Amino acid sequence: MPTSDDAAIKKVDGGDGQFFDAIARRYDLLNRIMSLGQDGYWRNKAVKSLELPEGGHFLDLATGTADLAIACAKRHRDARVTGLDPSAEMLAIGRDKVASATLSERVELVQGDAQALPFEDNSFDAVAISFGIRNVPDRRKALQEMNRVARPGGRIVILELSEPRRGLLASPARFYIHHVVPRIGSLLSGSKEYRYLQESIAAFPTADAFANLMREVGLTNVNARTLSFGAVNLFSAHAGH
């Protein structure tokens, strides 16, 4: 069932990538600055968790400008990669980056919705979504779709920002998320609605609650790992059908 922050997500993005179309040209810069340069490190952790077999096929949901898709293709030099995102502008930038990395033969980017994937059952050896699941209005449906298109036992990896709640750095980290991130986002993107980032992080379920949701849709061997003092959660599981 959609959660209380779904209306805010739909208001900001229209449910079809419009908000991300508007900030696409500055999206990579925003990520670098607001993550204090840690976003690449987090994505590499996700790629290392994929367990792709030789010649495997990987699906990257909410691929955006294709950073995770490119990182996977570089690490797994015999893999095929499909990236999907609702934002046409983000995908256009991603295709340029894929071409610059000379990966166009192995990396394909398509427009689509994580809640209704345009792929057959059991199509991929691994499926991931990085910094995107919190923006999906029906997360349960997206998880069900990930489970459906993954081959039995295929790896499911989810990387998502979180609001630190414990430890000495929790308080300053929350201040950064609540006050610094929205101002930087508004300044660099020219969009006052970038405050939604802070709100969506705060509204995202706890790691335990989200891991339970993953189990409820049939995923197995679910594991949740915190990175960077709780600023990010890395979830991993296997397709359970």
Side-chain angles (χ1 to χ4, degrees):
M1 180 179 295
T3 56
S4 60
D5 57 320
D6 296 343
I9 293 171
K10 291 177 182 177
K11 180 180 178 182
V12 169
D13 196 34
D16 58 7
Q18 293 176 4
F19 174 69
F20 289 96
D21 283 343
I23 67 169
R25 295 293 165 183
R26 297 181 180 179
Y27 181 76
D28 287 345
L29 176 62
L30 287 166
N31 278 347
R32 301 298 98 78
I33 293 176
M34 291 191 295
S35 71
L36 302 178
Q38 292 292 294
D39 58 307
Y41 165 76
W42 296 331
R43 287 190 181 90
N44 285 334
K45 287 289 187 182
V47 169
K48 290 178 181 178
S49 301
L50 290 176
E51 299 180 351
L52 267 183
E54 184 176 350
H57 194 181
F58 166 58
L59 174 62
D60 177 29
L61 300 179
T63 193
T65 61
D67 278 344
L68 188 69
I70 291 170
C72 178
K74 286 182 176 179
R75 182 176 178 85
H76 299 277
R77 297 187 180 277
D78 58 354
R80 290 179 297 136
V81 179
T82 299
L84 178 142
D85 197 276
S87 169
E89 291 298 322
M90 298 277 275
L91 289 172
I93 295 171
R95 290 189 184 102
D96 288 342
K97 290 166 65 174
V98 168
S100 295
T102 64
L103 291 170
S104 298
E105 291 186 0
R106 292 195 292 118
V107 179
E108 178 186 18
L109 303 183
V110 299
Q111 190 169 9
D113 183 354
Q115 300 162 116
L117 296 176
F119 307 114
E120 299 292 332
D121 296 357
N122 309 326
S123 295
F124 299 93
D125 297 288
V127 182
I129 181 168
S130 62
F131 311 124
I133 192 68
R134 74 178 186 283
N135 298 322
V136 178
D138 191 339
R139 298 180 191 124
R140 179 183 294 273
K141 181 60 177 176
L143 289 171
Q144 290 171 335
E145 283 289 271
M146 294 171 77
N147 193 32
R148 178 183 67 79
V149 302
R151 297 193 174 104
R155 191 72 157 170
I156 306 293
V157 174
I158 299 171
L159 188 66
E160 190 51 83
L161 297 168
S162 64
E163 188 170 89
R165 294 176 171 86
R166 300 175 182 175
L168 294 176
L169 296 179
S171 180
R174 286 196 300 271
F175 178 86
Y176 183 78
I177 292 170
H178 281 267
H179 300 285
V180 179
V181 165
R183 292 188 181 186
I184 294 175
S186 179
L187 178 65
L188 294 180
S189 70
S191 172
K192 294 181 180 179
E193 290 182 308
Y194 212 89
R195 178 167 291 277
Y196 102 96
L197 175 62
Q198 168 256 309
E199 295 171 348
S200 66
I201 295 171
F204 194 73
T206 64
D208 287 344
F210 189 73
N212 284 335
L213 178 60
M214 294 174 71
R215 295 184 184 97
E216 288 174 10
V217 303
L219 298 176
T220 64
N221 302 319
V222 176
N223 180 66
R225 176 185 175 190
T226 60
L227 302 174
S228 299
F229 305 101
V232 170
N233 285 316
L234 178 61
F235 301 92
S236 60
H238 290 101
H241 56 88

